[in-house]
Amino acid sequence: MMVQPLPPSASASGRPAATPGAGDEALLRISHLKKRYGAWLAVDDVSFSVAAGEFFTMLGPSGCGKTSTLRCIAGLEMPFEGEIVIDRKLVYSAAQRIQVPANHRDIAMVFQSYAIWPHMSVFGNVAFPLEARGVRGAELKSRVGAALETVGLAAMADRPAPMLSGGQQQRVALARAIVANAKLLLLDEPLSNLDAALRIQMRAELRNIQRRLGATMIYVTHDQEEAMSLSDRIAVMRNGKIVEIGAPQDLYHRPRSVFTAQFVGQSEVLPCDLPAAPAGGRVEARAPFGVVMCTGVPQGIGPGRHGLLVRPEHIQILPRGSVPEGLPNRFPARIESRSFSGRLIDYHAAVGASSLAVQTLSTSEWEVGAPVVLHMPPAHCIVVEGSPG
């Protein structure tokens, strides 16, 4: 393997270089990675690991550092600090001045633009990375055929690339990535150029392909719904840093930070005060409209100013006069506005001086101005670190 030494100007972290042990199951391990463009620190001390066969997504707004991190993993960008290990091989280390070139990292990448060569057929596009490695004859035909079969394009092998639809081009790019049997597949917003209906279809196909192959995928997107439906784990990024890593269900139902709560899914995050530390997994949060009993309290949350997360679909609208005595977290309210979208109705309800978003099925409807009671089940009232701006 070629090892390209870092230029003398690259800084070393000063940390001892870590080498994964024999029992290390992570296929990818990133430690304290930093990447700068001029004065802008695009990747700021990022660390995470990805297990073999895992679908891992980096999610965040534009400019948060997710694509820069992906390109550092691929060897297309040079960090200035940290280290990257792929399949127990050190491919980048600032401390040891190691930078393994992209073509020696056993990775394959699908770009946002697909990078399909218009002068080649579908077969030629998929065969190119194998031909570059010297694969020829029956083996080439067999491996390309298997990759095209996997993505459902076996019947289009001889079709010119310009005659493909957007979805078909995306499949060609994916086939070209998987044909080389790389250890790690990197995907940079590969569905962003497709229309909404095709994106949903391709999500399902991409996840099925990943499971069928047992492939390890690192996926970059700003689309939270895409990340939630595809991923085993998600790293939420902001300003070059990882804010939080977790399974989609945990990030949605039990986020730790205000940013994650607001970025992932629809949410109401209200300022609240905790007068005391949680006891027995329960705490009373003082919200603008009253005291809210919460059982969704992350470990380590103490007294002080925090955020109170209540998802719109977790708030129940009840008629006044029929609310059972002793029901926790019930607050008188009035419907301010409503928006009918077919299956769902989105409301805004005035609760004291606050206005809360509430979402219900269209099987029951409330008129604007109707006096109601809002019920917030304690299990769906989540205290998150930080106060909403």
Side-chain angles (χ1 to χ4, degrees), residues 110-174:
V110 178
F111 296 92
Q112 183 176 356
S113 63
Y114 311 144
I116 301 299
W117 291 291
H119 64 288
M120 292 183 180
S121 66
V122 168
F123 184 96
N125 268 276
V126 178
F128 183 82
L130 294 181
E131 291 173 336
R133 299 181 185 192
V135 179
R136 298 288 186 272
E139 182 184 357
L140 177 73
K141 186 174 181 180
S142 173
R143 290 174 64 174
V144 173
L148 290 175
E149 185 71 35
T150 297
V151 300
L153 289 180
M156 298 185 181
D158 296 326
R159 182 170 296 188
M163 294 180 63
L164 300 176
S165 68
Q168 289 166 343
Q169 288 188 34
Q170 194 272 346
R171 289 190 183 103
V172 171
L174 184 58

Side-chain angles (χ1 to χ4, degrees), residues 167-239:
Q168 289 166 343
Q169 288 188 34
Q170 194 272 346
R171 289 190 183 103
V172 171
L174 184 58
R176 190 174 56 197
I178 66 179
V179 74
N181 297 323
K183 294 283 186 182
L184 194 60
L185 299 184
L186 310 177
L187 300 96
D188 186 9
E189 306 226 34
L191 308 184
S192 61
N193 293 328
L194 305 179
D195 61 52
L198 190 52
R199 269 203 314 273
I200 294 173
Q201 176 189 336
M202 289 307 302
R203 278 182 213 156
E205 292 187 12
L206 183 59
R207 189 55 161 142
N208 287 338
I209 289 170
Q210 187 266 338
R211 286 171 174 161
R212 193 160 65 246
L213 296 175
T216 307
M217 291 189 176
I218 314 295
Y219 194 91
V220 160
T221 185
H222 65 274
D223 187 321
Q224 49 156 310
E225 187 175 332
E226 195 170 282
M228 300 288 282
S229 64
L230 286 170
S231 311
D232 294 312
R233 286 190 304 146
I234 300 170
V236 179
M237 296 190 68
R238 181 189 189 192
N239 296 333

Side-chain angles (χ1 to χ4, degrees), residues 44 68 94 323 347:
D44 186 4
S68 294
V323 181
Y347 297 95

Side-chain angles (χ1 to χ4, degrees), residues 258-259 262 268-272 305-308 384-389:
V258 166
F259 179 77
Q262 292 177 325
E268 288 286 348
V269 183
L270 303 166
C272 72
R305 191 74 162 174
H306 297 287
L308 174 64
V384 292
E385 293 176 337
S387 183

Side-chain angles (χ1 to χ4, degrees), residues 59-123:
L59 171 69
S62 297
C64 71
K66 54 190 186 295
T67 292
S68 294
T69 302
L70 194 76
R71 290 177 64 84
C72 289
I73 297 169
L76 301 177
E77 297 287 353
M78 175 87 75
F80 71 90
E81 190 168 319
E83 70 175 34
I84 302 171
V85 176
I86 299 176
D87 196 23
R88 303 183 183 180
K89 297 175 183 177
L90 192 62
V91 298
Y92 170 77
S93 172
Q96 298 186 39
R97 299 189 179 279
I98 292 172
Q99 169 76 1
V100 175
N103 61 322
H104 288 275
R105 292 198 179 193
D106 202 8
I107 59 99
M109 191 161 181
V110 178
F111 296 92
Q112 183 176 356
S113 63
Y114 311 144
I116 301 299
W117 291 291
H119 64 288
M120 292 183 180
S121 66
V122 168
F123 184 96

Side-chain angles (χ1 to χ4, degrees), residues 299-317:
Q299 290 185 349
I301 290 282
R305 191 74 162 174
H306 297 287
L308 174 64
L309 165 66
V310 187
R311 302 282 183 194
E313 71 272 22
H314 293 156
I315 301 176
Q316 300 171 355
I317 303 178

Side-chain angles (χ1 to χ4, degrees), residues 276-296:
R282 301 169 66 91
V283 69
E284 290 185 347
R286 293 177 179 171
F289 49 82
V291 176
V292 180
M293 177 62 69
C294 307
T295 58

